């Protein structure tokens, strides 16, 4: 499962912010090559968007795809973002598929404390996500139990949507509550025009799909998001 190298990405990052390409905008017919290419272009981890057609109106990928990527790129940290109603039901299958970070939503049906405990017991880092319309107060009681908090900056379901700037105040509120070993991730509409405000607000893991896979120079796109 987790190797020494992959386990250290969140708690001992090579530098911050980390850049996490979301493979949702990759060419699925050439997925393995695309993933290798973004890692060789400087990405720190891979972000996999799992959608169940209920929590969000789209269907994407599952543990089998995660396992194939883990087999091909065993040292790459796999960040799995579950936009599903019952994330608890998928913990074992994603742990067995080589997932390093398992992120569920505070809006999903499962109890976040129970979720964090079960994810940790399965040997993965635990993340908790919050959607744009949800009040920041809904997530604050659970923040201490997680390794990463994900603030969604679009309504989840599809890549290529416009960034919702109102969520930046949520980032500022949450970042004040975090320990140095906890990360704050932004996901949705993060690109050349929005990445600086995300970094300034306190985000240290930036997810981007279209702003990386929609360009013909992944290294330049990743360096631009990182800002150094
Ligand atoms: C949205 C997903 C995102 C998405 C981001 O539901 O959670 O990870 O792929 O896509 P961009 O970066 O294009 O907004
Ligand atoms: Zn995502």
């Amino acid at each position: 499962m987790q190797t020494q190298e992959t386990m250290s990405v969140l708690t001992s990052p090579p530098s911050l912010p980390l850049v996490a390409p979301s493979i949702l905008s990759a060419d699925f017919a050439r997925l393995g090559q695309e993933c290798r290419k973004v890692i060789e272009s400087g990405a720190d981890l891979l972000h996999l968007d799992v959608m169940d057609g209920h929590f969000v109106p789209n269907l994407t990928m599952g543990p089998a795809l995660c396992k194939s990527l883990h087999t091909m790129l065993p040292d790459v940290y796999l960040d799995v973002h579950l936009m599903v109603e019952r994330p608890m039901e998928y913990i074992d299958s994603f742990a067995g598929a080589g997932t390093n970070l398992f992120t569920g939503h505070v809006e999903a049906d499962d109890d976040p404390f129970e979720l964090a405990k079960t994810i940790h017991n399965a040997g993965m880092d635990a993340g908790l996500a919050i959607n744009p319309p949800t009040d920041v107060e809904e997530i604050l009681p659970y923040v201490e139990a997680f390794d990463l908090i994900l603030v969604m900056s679009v309504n989840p379901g599809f890549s290529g949507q416009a960034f919702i700037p109102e969520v930046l105040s949520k980032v500022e509120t949450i970042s004040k509550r975090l320990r140095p070993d906890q990360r704050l991730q932004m996901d949705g509409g993060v690109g050349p025009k929005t990445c600086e405000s995300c970094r300034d607000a306190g985000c240290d893991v930036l997810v981007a799909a279209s702003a990386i896979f929609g360009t013909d120079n992944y290294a330049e796109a990743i360096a631009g998001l990182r800002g150094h």
Side-chain angles (χ1 to χ4, degrees):
M1 286 215 278
Q2 304 208 20
T3 65
Q4 205 64 33
E5 201 165 329
T6 52
M7 278 199 73
S8 67
V9 173
L10 290 192
T11 50
S12 311
S15 72
L16 290 173
L18 297 168
V19 177
S22 156
I23 66 172
L24 199 53
S25 288
D27 177 354
F28 282 7
R30 301 173 50 251
L31 192 57
Q33 294 107 291
E34 290 271 80
C35 289
R36 196 187 293 281
K37 192 170 156 193
V38 278
I39 293 297
E40 287 173 356
S41 302
D44 299 288
L45 58 147
L46 292 175
H47 182 89
L48 278 61
D49 288 304
V50 175
M51 305 185 189
D52 67 352
H54 296 282
F55 188 79
V56 286
N58 198 2
L59 290 163
T60 55
M61 54 197 82
L65 187 140
C66 184
K67 191 170 186 180
S68 295
L69 291 179
H70 177 61
T71 302
M72 182 181 182
L73 301 165
D75 293 330
V76 172
Y77 188 94
L78 298 177
D79 155 14
V80 178
H81 173 197
L82 285 105
M83 288 152 276
V84 305
E85 282 181 354
R86 293 195 167 278
M88 292 276 278
E89 290 178 6
Y90 303 97
I91 289 175
D92 286 345
S93 53
F94 276 101
T99 297
N100 299 98
L101 167 66
F102 184 104
T103 298
H105 269 258
V106 70
E107 300 87 1
D109 293 332
D110 297 321
D111 172 62
F113 283 132
E114 198 61 29
L115 184 69
K117 199 170 83 185
T118 314
I119 295 168
H120 285 144
N121 286 342
M124 299 182 287
D125 290 329
L128 189 63
I130 179 167
N131 280 337
T134 305
D135 196 286
V136 69
E137 297 293 330
E138 299 289 321
I139 203 169
L140 293 180
Y142 308 111
V143 163
E144 48 97 8
F146 287 84
D147 305 290
L148 173 145
I149 300 297
L150 165 52
V151 175
M152 288 303 302
S153 36
V154 297
N155 289 306
F158 302 91
S159 54
Q161 302 182 77
F163 184 81
I164 301 171
E166 287 76 17
V167 303
L168 289 168
S169 63
K170 237 182 240 183
V171 170
E172 285 167 5
T173 305
I174 295 168
S175 74
K176 288 187 194 122
R177 311 281 187 111
L178 297 180
R179 302 182 303 269
D181 64 320
Q182 291 177 298
R183 303 271 74 86
L184 187 43
Q185 185 176 52
M186 187 69 103
D187 181 9
V190 178
K193 294 194 179 123
T194 55
C195 60
E196 193 176 347
S197 54
C198 299
R199 295 193 304 259
D200 290 349
C203 291
D204 52 23
V205 187
L206 300 177
V207 176
S210 45
I212 296 174
F213 290 105
T215 72
D216 53 16
N217 189 334
Y218 296 169
E220 200 174 277
I222 290 165
L225 292 167
R226 207 189 297 284
H228 61 82

